[in-house]
């Protein structure tokens, strides 16, 4: 499906090499303060009103745990459903950066196209999707695999619709890197 192709190109085009250098130059917790429409369990998400370029004050690192990765991935899923481009691009920043370097285009324009390919029913399901902790794979303390089977939405998603992702703990937060 076309949605998966774009999402996979953006999110899967990155490896850990480019991801770490990309996060060096930017605040690691700004995603939660980009005005996400869905509440998140991350401490900085409660701010929700800061501008995307504002450096969050007094933020603590995200939990470097399986639960922390799940919270971050759910934040991404909810942002996809809400068409919250700032949050989507923040969480997928390392993967999107590599995809852009490979000629795909900036995250914002790529995901704007992705949003157009997600059906209204799928968007609605993504807004409340959760992740089954029993179905994810902890590869290392800093790397967690999120297979599509772990996503519990109210609609059905296949590997072709949503895809599977790798989240890595970089610069005090979880990011989609693959």
């Amino acid at each position: 499906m076309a949605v998966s192709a774009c999402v996979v190109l953006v999110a899967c085009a990155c490896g850990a090499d480019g991801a770490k250098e990309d996060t060096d130059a930017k605040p690691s917790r700004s995603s939660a303060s980009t005005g996400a429409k869905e509440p998140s369990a991350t401490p900085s998400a409660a701010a929700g009103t800061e501008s995307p370029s504002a450096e969050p004050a007094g933020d603590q690192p995200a939990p470097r745990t399986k639960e922390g990765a799940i919270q971050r991935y759910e934040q991404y899923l909810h942002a996809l459903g809400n068409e919250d481009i700032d949050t989507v691009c923040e969480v997928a920043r390392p993967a999107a950066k590599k995809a852009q370097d490979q000629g795909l285009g900036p995250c914002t324009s790529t995901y704007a196209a992705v949003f157009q390919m997600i059906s209204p029913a799928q968007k609605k399901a993504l807004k409340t999707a959760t992740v089954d902790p029993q179905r994810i794979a902890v590869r290392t303390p800093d790397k967690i695999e999120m297979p599509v089977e772990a996503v519990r939405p109210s609609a059905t998603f296949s590997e072709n619709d949503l895809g599977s992702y790798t989240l890595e703990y970089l610069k005090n937060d979880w990011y989609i890197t693959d």
Side-chain angles (χ1 to χ4, degrees), residues 1 3-5 7 118 122 148 156-163 165:
M1 183 169 209
V3 173
S4 178
V7 173
I118 301 172
Q122 289 174 321
V148 70
T156 302
F157 288 91
S158 70
E159 184 72 30
N160 289 334
D161 292 333
L162 188 58
Y165 296 94

Side-chain angles (χ1 to χ4, degrees), residues 12-157:
C12 294
C14 184
D17 301 5
K20 290 183 182 173
E21 68 184 335
D22 183 55
T23 57
D24 286 340
K26 298 177 184 151
S28 63
R29 300 291 294 161
S30 63
S31 67
S33 61
T34 59
K37 297 172 189 168
E38 273 302 301
S40 171
T42 56
S44 60
T49 56
E50 294 179 18
S51 67
S53 61
E55 176 103 18
D59 275 357
Q60 299 296 316
R64 190 177 171 188
T65 61
K66 179 167 102 171
E67 292 78 18
I70 289 170
Q71 287 175 350
R72 183 74 155 168
Y73 188 57
E74 287 176 350
Q75 178 186 25
Y76 169 81
L77 295 171
H78 299 168
L80 273 177
N82 286 313
E83 296 188 24
D84 178 355
I85 195 83
D86 293 332
T87 300
V88 167
C89 287
E90 171 61 22
V91 177
R93 183 188 325 142
K97 172 76 169 98
K98 185 163 187 190
Q100 181 177 349
D101 292 348
Q102 294 174 349
L104 192 58
C107 181
T108 53
S109 62
T110 302
Y111 270 104
V114 169
F115 293 153
Q116 299 306 310
M117 292 184 265
I118 301 172
S119 75
Q122 289 174 321
K123 285 178 187 172
K124 183 177 179 183
L126 286 167
K127 290 178 184 182
T128 58
T130 59
V131 174
D132 181 351
Q134 302 303 315
R135 292 183 173 233
I136 67 171
V138 177
R139 300 293 180 215
T140 69
D142 292 333
K143 193 174 211 175
I144 294 181
E145 304 293 328
M146 297 282 184
V148 70
E149 298 83 23
V151 178
R152 295 184 295 205
S154 58
T156 302
F157 288 91

